[in-house]
Amino acid sequence: MSTEPPHANEQGNIAVASGRAGHHGVLFAMCLSLILVVASVSALNLALPDLSVDLSASNSSLTWIADGYTVALAALVLPLGAVGDRFGRRNVLIAGTVVFGAASLAASFADSTTTLIVWRVVMGLGAAMIMPGTLSTITAAFPPEQRAKGVAVWSGFAAAGAILGMLAAGALLEWYSWRSIFVTSAAVALLAALAALALAPDTKDEHPSPPDVSGAISTAVGIGTLVLAIIEGNEQGWTEPVVIAALVVTVLAFAAYAWLGRRHEHPLLDPALFGIRGFRAGAVTVLVQFLAVFGFFYVGLQYLQLILGYSPLKAAVALVPVAVVVLPTSQATPHLVRRTGMKVTMASGLLLLAAGLFIISRLDTGSGYLPFLGGLVVAGLGIGLSGATGTAAITGSLGRGQQGVASAMNDTTREVGSAVGIALMGSIYGSHYRSNLPDTVDRLPAEAAESVRDSAAAGLHAAEQLGTQGAVLADQVRSAFMDGLSASLIAVSVIVLAAAIGCLFRAPKQPPASD
């Protein structure tokens, strides 16, 4: 991805487009595309109980259904961002909405977990074409004095978009099947394409750098094998040959990226950028925040549906307090950074996020919603502070001519964090759920025992078919679910806490000056 300053005619295109649509029009079009991408990470989580029963999906299959999209997005967002630099960011974004919409429509007809996972991966390809252009267009179209505000709005919708997606999915699932989520996503993709065409500027590098094929391959392989190792390690055991091989390939792939990147004249993402303190601190903060948030959505929604018995819509509404807290907090963050400094704001956000997740980890089957809400509000404050500050640290560490690189890094850290978070929390939850099931499960009819071991949703469905014996089984399944939920949340809380401590020691006190 080129790091050269924009040329005069590129700046002219930005000015003309901004003058026609206005900054608010650009912001609307890019945030709509952003919501489409982010909502598709989280919306399907509400349908996981239905998918478990309808497609006989195990916990591992459910994790891949949720994560196939995110892995493809994380692995491809950097190289496809470079394609946008070469052929026009808006052009690639619109092409991405076509790929996304077609794959989403095809996914609505899936009749097996394998087919659904494949189409989710193709949706991730389309999302990787969409995502890079959203932030880089905003940072390029907005003048330096307004850039922080535009980034804060983008960051707020990046977090709140997940809630909006879940609300829409919850409403659909009240009356329709999980397939309706994919049909609706295809329709929104069409609207996003039209909005981008009408309102957004099309910018590109007039003299693009040669493609960094080795960088694209090494990062894609590294991200994919890392997620594979996490999911299969918890499913099969960390000493299995396939898991060890995946870990080895992951290390080799990222080592190759670092080694080749330092020798390539125009690397996809220059490893030397991580030597910039603000850039590095922002990348770690965004990665860890999204790891925690989307991992939490994966398991937290199942708590609301399986333990509290909420409908999909009620479960989505129960998470609205996150959006209510995140959006105003994100808007207030630039002011807080000016008053207290970037380091304090960033670390405070991560500490609040860790505290909120830890509060939720202490729940049991009888806790109800209010303690969950308390943890949710605390975590929401942390998300608003850390997300906006982390993104601003990345974009502010590089000049105006490098905003394509900043946007690509921001997108990559978000999606890698989301992919790893879903894999990590889903796998820890799944392994602890299975290990905490009682031995009495083995005495059930073979089909019922297999359902119970596959997932909590399938286990509760099986319990409904067993009459009076089913009530005891349902309690055992719920108890095992809570053990898995608690273990996964504690693990991620520790990771977020470690990142907060790292920020306190390594992040710069003040943000870099924008040019």
Side-chain angles (χ1 to χ4, degrees), residues 342-361:
M342 185 172 72
K343 174 191 291 190
V344 172
T345 306
M346 191 182 293
S348 297
L350 291 173
L351 287 171
L352 286 168
L353 177 55
L357 295 176
F358 184 77
I359 290 170
I360 297 173
S361 76

Side-chain angles (χ1 to χ4, degrees), residues 38-39 41-49 66 157-166 289-305 315-316 318-323 326 353 357 360 372 376 379-380 383 418 421-422 425-426 481 485 488-489 492:
V38 175
V41 179
S42 61
L44 202 60
N45 290 336
L46 279 167
L48 292 179
F157 276 103
I163 305 297
L164 296 174
M166 287 187 284
Q289 181 218 319
F290 270 71
L291 181 152
V293 169
F294 282 93
F296 167 72
F297 285 157
Y298 179 80
V299 295
L301 281 168
Q302 294 185 70
Y303 168 79
L304 294 170
Q305 292 178 273
L319 290 179
V320 166
V322 172
V326 166
L353 177 55
L357 295 176
I360 297 173
F372 181 88
L376 207 61
I383 293 167
S418 300
I422 293 170
M425 291 189 71
F481 172 87
L485 176 72
S488 63
L489 287 172
V492 171

Side-chain angles (χ1 to χ4, degrees), residues 3 20 79 246 415 431 489 494:
T3 60
R20 185 184 71 239
E415 303 317 325
S431 62
L489 287 172
V494 171

Side-chain angles (χ1 to χ4, degrees), residues 141-443:
F142 278 57
E145 65 273 12
Q146 296 184 28
R147 191 183 302 163
K149 182 178 179 181
V151 169
V153 172
W154 185 96
S155 178
F157 276 103
I163 305 297
L164 296 174
M166 287 187 284
L167 282 172
L172 289 169
L173 292 171
E174 288 291 306
W175 293 282
Y176 307 106
S177 77
W178 57 267
R179 300 178 190 277
S180 62
I181 296 174
F182 292 103
V183 175
T184 303
S185 295
V188 175
L190 176 61
L191 292 177
L194 294 175
L197 185 63
L199 302 174
D202 187 29
T203 62
K204 64 180 179 180
D205 289 346
E206 294 302 319
H207 301 285
S209 304
D212 180 12
V213 177
S214 61
I217 293 174
S218 60
T219 53
V221 170
I223 293 168
T225 54
L226 174 61
V227 172
L228 173 66
I230 293 171
I231 294 176
E232 297 304 320
N234 280 284
E235 181 74 16
Q236 300 184 31
W238 291 98
T239 58
E240 288 295 311
V242 66
V243 177
I244 294 173
L247 289 172
V248 170
V249 172
T250 298
V251 172
L252 292 176
F254 284 123
Y257 152 72
W259 189 80
L260 294 170
R262 289 182 176 277
R263 286 156 179 77
H264 198 286
E265 186 177 358
H266 300 285
L268 193 62
L269 181 67
D270 190 351
L273 292 175
F274 290 97
I276 303 173
R277 291 179 66 193
F279 186 89
R280 182 175 63 246
V284 171
T285 297
V286 171
L287 185 146
V288 169
Q289 181 218 319
F290 270 71
L291 181 152
V293 169
F294 282 93
F296 167 72
F297 285 157
Y298 179 80
V299 295
L301 281 168
Q302 294 185 70
Y303 168 79
L304 294 170
Q305 292 178 273
L306 301 180
I307 304 303
L308 301 189
Y310 287 5
S311 68
L313 179 58
K314 189 175 180 180
V317 171
L319 290 179
V320 166
V322 172
V324 173
V325 172
V326 166
L327 283 172
T329 305
S330 296
Q331 290 292 297
T333 296
H335 176 69
L336 290 173
V337 170
R338 285 193 297 270
R339 287 181 62 88
T340 65
M342 185 172 72
K343 174 191 291 190
V344 172
T345 306
M346 191 182 293
S348 297
L350 291 173
L351 287 171
L352 286 168
L353 177 55
L357 295 176
F358 184 77
I359 290 170
I360 297 173
S361 76
R362 299 296 84 201
L363 303 183
D364 57 36
T365 55
S367 294
Y369 177 67
L370 285 180
F372 181 88
L373 175 62
L376 207 61
V377 171
V378 174
L381 290 170
I383 293 167
L385 291 175
S386 59
T389 311
T391 298
I394 293 172
T395 58
S397 295
L398 303 179
R400 187 181 181 90
Q402 292 181 295
Q403 287 306 301
V405 176
S407 175
M409 185 63 211
N410 188 70
D411 294 341
T412 301
T413 53
R414 286 172 181 268
E415 303 317 325
V416 171
S418 300
V420 172
I422 293 170
L424 182 64
M425 291 189 71
S427 299
I428 293 173
Y429 149 71
S431 62
H432 278 77
Y433 165 75
R434 286 189 301 275
S435 65
N436 284 282
L437 287 170
D439 295 338
T440 54
V441 170
D442 296 331
R443 296 197 291 270

